[in-house]
Amino acid sequence: MQRFIQTLDLIEDQGLIDRYIDAHANVWPEIIAGIREVGISDMDIYILGNKLVMVLQMPDDIDFGQAMERLATLPRQAEWEEYVGQFQKCLPGSTSAGKWQRMTQIFSLGSEEE
């Protein structure tokens, strides 16, 4: 499995941040279906202040860039991106791939086999 860590900033306004959190407590079914359809098996989003971190996993045989391009074309995805875009520090009309910035791993403490 491939794992990707991405980050995005929200607009620094607690009311907007609260609305963003609420939107993710009630994600539209078409969005969940689309995420799974492009091969994403696990996705978590964490928040600290206005900073978001997303952790997602997908099988090794799926190209991340192609999956994101395909996701942008699926039902209601553009509508969802426009809706959540009002809370995010991003350019209007940005797709998910244009908003979320991939982070680079600089340290790992994995389990050691003896």
Side-chain angles (χ1 to χ4, degrees), residues 45-74:
I45 299 176
Y46 298 87
I47 188 169
L48 178 63
N50 75 317
K51 174 72 72 185
L52 299 175
V53 173
M54 177 192 294
V55 180
L56 63 91
Q57 289 189 161
M58 58 188 357
D60 290 335
D61 62 343
I62 296 176
D63 179 271
F64 180 82
Q66 290 176 352
M68 294 301 99
E69 286 177 18
R70 184 165 167 242
L71 181 62
T73 69
L74 296 179

